[in-house]
Amino acid sequence: MNTTEPPGPSWRAPERPDPARWDEPDMRAVLADRDITRIYRMLQTYGYSQQHIAALTGQSQPEVSAIIHGRKVMGYDLLERIAEGLGFPRGYAGLAYYTPDHPHHHRPGAVPNRPPVAPDDHRVVVVNRDHSATTTR
């Protein structure tokens, strides 16, 4: 059975973790390291099954199991899908933000995680690995 497709009329989309979870210090550190194995293990301690995680992220249960057992997630597209599915801020994992009108935006219909910058705003924001930001003109 494909976990990304609703199995029938009574199917409900699984609930995402509480957004406050992503701001917990332990979770922020794991997100900064992009350690999906530890993220999935932490979600299991919060009561999320492998099937639930798979449904949220668009993965199969065996793929989630492989990650929980140590398989590394390196593909940017998969990291994006995991961030979108679980609902954590992309920047917490060092992932870029997209806007639908960006010329290099390759994912039609994706919802941006933050509003676009005004056209006359010429500031450059540098986001460091520790999630601090510097703004220059």
Side-chain angles (χ1 to χ4, degrees), residues 20-51:
R21 291 269 187 210
W22 308 122
D23 289 320
E24 294 173 359
D26 289 346
M27 185 62 85
R28 286 293 297 269
V30 172
L31 287 166
D33 289 339
R34 292 185 189 169
D35 188 342
I36 305 302
T37 295
R38 286 185 50 210
I39 292 168
Y40 284 4
R41 287 178 183 169
M42 290 172 84
L43 289 174
Q44 285 185 309
T45 67
Y46 303 149
Y48 287 82
S49 67
Q50 291 180 13
Q51 293 85 0

Side-chain angles (χ1 to χ4, degrees), residues 46-81:
Y46 303 149
Y48 287 82
S49 67
Q50 291 180 13
Q51 293 85 0
H52 193 147
I53 295 168
L56 287 170
T57 61
Q59 298 174 278
S60 67
Q61 180 275 323
E63 185 177 9
V64 169
S65 178
I67 292 168
I68 288 170
H69 288 92
R71 193 188 100 208
K72 299 291 181 204
V73 174
M74 304 301 289
Y76 195 84
D77 287 345
L78 179 54
L79 288 168
E80 285 183 314
R81 198 168 74 222

